[in-house]
Amino acid sequence: MKQFLYPSHIGDLKTALAEAFEIKHDRYKYESLGHHKTALLIFFNNSLRTRLSTQKAALNLGMNVIVLDINQGAWKLETERGVVMNGDKSEHLLEAVPVMSNYCDIIGVRTFARFENRTDDYTEQILRQFIEHSGKPVFSMESATVHPLQAFADLITIEEHRAKNRRPRVVMTWAPHPKALPQAVPNSFAQWMLAADVDFVYTCPEGYELDPQFVGDLKPIYNQKEALKDADFVYAKNWSCPGVTRPQEYGKVLSTDMSWMVDKAHMDLTNNACFMHCLPVRRNMIVSDDVIESPRSLVIAEAANREISATVVLKRMIETL
């Protein structure tokens, strides 16, 4: 596996899940696989779960790990070609990427959407430069449009908690947030759920429709309460306007309607559903205290499975070196 952005990159999901559970049973089974191999984890943005879980996954495989915080421990990087570099950015990504690649075998990159130019974000301008110019396997630790390590961990969590005798109904619901957030998590969650053996729908206010490259022909249900009926899993997540139906509003907050917050009344509409969220989460805005603290909340289990999803991905990348 030379890159990891989409479910197609990992191949058959049943096989990937079987490998995930094998590793979860014995996470040091492949400890010698990464001997004398180095993972470089590059962070353009803040991180807690991604940083810790990916480092732990690399260590599980016996790898060396280098972590680079671009905004704290490196020169400020210019990412645009053709720019006169007379400002505060001292190095260009086009030189930095091949230099970084000299010191590692696999590169993980975390870089969020900038909301300055939808085309730049949705073509993954920064991540693509690493893929094109590093000569090394590259995986997304959340990029402008996708967060595949999170979505894979979510799928592992659903597989662990689903009823085995029927196909689960999985509902992703938009929830309010005071700041403009990227669409990476909802894009990937939708993409992975549509590829998995689940009945998936998503619900959001008008203007928040996800890009067809991630949801295909699937249309949102605009009535949240209708969407939640009979759900087995409820995945709450905020995202800003994706600009599909309102291009001029890309990256904007169109609504902070608190009636979309997932509380007990919402969960009572479901089939005793499990609650999911990628974290960090704003309590009593995205989800009420009683829901996130309930026995049906899987947020900690999801976070734990981040180590497992990252271990599978790194293992497969090492095997292609």
Side-chain angles (χ1 to χ4, degrees):
M1 188 163 63
K2 296 296 185 182
Q3 56 185 272
F4 180 66
L5 285 80
Y6 311 121
S8 59
H9 290 150
I10 207 164
D12 181 71
L13 291 187
K14 288 185 178 179
T15 302
L17 284 168
E19 191 169 350
F21 291 123
E22 175 193 31
I23 286 171
K24 191 162 186 176
H25 177 71
D26 180 5
R27 59 198 71 201
Y28 300 108
K29 183 175 182 177
Y30 301 100
E31 190 174 11
S32 62
L33 191 65
H35 185 59
H36 287 171
K37 299 291 190 295
T38 299
L40 173 59
L41 310 181
I42 302 168
F43 291 87
F44 287 82
N45 300 93
N46 295 335
S47 174
L48 189 154
R49 278 150 295 277
T50 298
R51 180 189 298 258
L52 297 179
S53 63
T54 311
Q55 283 186 253
K56 180 64 166 60
L59 294 172
N60 291 349
L61 296 167
M63 300 186 78
N64 302 311
V65 183
I66 301 173
V67 178
L68 178 63
D69 286 297
I70 292 297
N71 295 322
Q72 297 180 17
W75 300 111
K76 288 188 176 181
L77 293 177
E78 179 57 65
T79 60
E80 301 288 339
R81 190 186 296 270
V83 172
V84 176
M85 292 176 58
N86 59 359
D88 64 342
K89 296 176 180 177
S90 305
E91 186 162 11
H92 202 287
L93 198 62
L94 290 174
E95 286 78 60
V97 169
V99 167
M100 294 175 191
S101 70
N102 288 320
Y103 311 134
C104 65
D105 300 285
I106 295 171
I107 299 175
V109 181
R110 183 176 178 91
T111 175
F112 293 171
R114 296 177 172 180
F115 296 143
E116 296 171 358
N117 183 301
R118 189 183 192 278
T119 299
D120 287 349
D121 286 344
Y122 270 70
T123 54
E124 294 286 5
Q125 184 188 56
I126 293 177
L127 184 61
R128 290 293 174 190
Q129 291 187 63
F130 281 91
I131 293 171
E132 293 169 14
H133 301 297
S134 71
K136 299 293 170 68
V138 175
F139 65 98
S140 168
M141 297 191 297
E142 186 170 3
S143 48
T145 64
V146 293
H147 197 350
L149 290 173
Q150 178 66 54
F152 186 18
D154 293 333
L155 179 58
I156 294 168
T157 308
I158 289 171
E159 189 67 20
E160 286 179 312
H161 292 86
R162 64 184 287 180
K164 303 305 179 185
N165 60 345
R166 61 187 175 82
R167 199 165 184 249
R169 178 176 172 82
V170 179
V171 179
M172 178 172 69
T173 177
W174 178 93
H177 194 282
K179 296 172 61 178
L181 297 185
Q183 298 99 44
V185 170
N187 283 345
S188 278
F189 187 75
Q191 195 174 43
W192 283 71
M193 290 302 107
L194 288 169
D197 182 27
V198 305
D199 174 21
F200 174 71
V201 298
Y202 80 101
T203 179
C204 63
E206 292 188 20
Y208 284 95
E209 298 85 355
L210 295 174
D211 194 294
Q213 68 176 292
F214 301 105
V215 297
D217 296 328
L218 182 67
K219 304 299 181 185
I221 297 173
Y222 295 115
N223 185 320
Q224 185 192 33
K225 292 182 179 180
E226 176 186 332
L228 290 173
K229 290 178 181 177
D230 300 322
D232 297 297
F233 296 88
V234 174
Y235 198 102
K237 185 69 181 79
N238 174 267
W239 61 92
S240 61
C241 175
V244 175
T245 58
R246 303 183 189 184
Q248 71 281 5
E249 302 290 345
Y250 171 65
K252 305 295 184 184
V253 174
L254 304 182
S255 172
T256 54
D257 183 354
M258 290 297 293
S259 71
W260 282 76
M261 181 187 74
V262 178
D263 58 13
K264 186 178 182 300
H266 286 84
M267 295 300 288
D268 285 345
L269 298 171
T270 71
N271 182 31
N272 193 28
C274 294
F275 174 80
M276 302 180 70
H277 189 280
C278 60
L279 302 182
V281 66
R282 296 205 179 209
R283 286 179 174 230
N284 303 307
M285 187 142 203
I286 298 284
V287 58
S288 62
D289 287 332
D290 53 354
V291 170
I292 198 170
E293 293 175 6
S294 78
R296 302 294 288 170
S297 174
L298 298 181
V299 297
I300 304 303
E302 292 173 77
N305 280 330
R306 290 293 307 279
E307 175 189 346
I308 307 304
S309 65
T311 305
V312 174
V313 169
L314 286 169
K315 172 183 174 290
R316 291 189 174 200
M317 286 191 156
I318 293 170
E319 290 170 340
T320 64
L321 293 174

